[in-house]
Amino acid sequence: SGLSGKDLAIRRQLLLDARTTSFEDALGPHLAACDRLLRGTAQEAS
């Protein structure tokens, strides 16, 4: 899949926390994960 161990750990933690975390509390980590993915994709394309 091309993901590092840290990327997988972040995604796993977001999924585990999804049921018990409010939208407001989850928004920041979700956006940070999206940013991390987009930056990684942009670096691969260059």
Side-chain angles (χ1 to χ4, degrees):
S1 69
L3 297 174
S4 72
K6 187 171 184 174
D7 290 331
L8 288 174
I10 291 169
R11 290 175 184 206
R12 185 179 303 121
Q13 192 61 48
L14 286 170
L15 286 171
L16 291 172
D17 292 345
R19 293 183 61 177
T20 58
T21 305
S22 70
F23 173 80
E24 292 81 10
D25 290 338
L27 186 59
H30 171 75
L31 292 175
C34 290
D35 181 63
R36 184 177 176 88
L37 177 66
L38 291 172
R39 289 178 189 268
T41 304
Q43 287 178 355
E44 288 175 6
S46 344

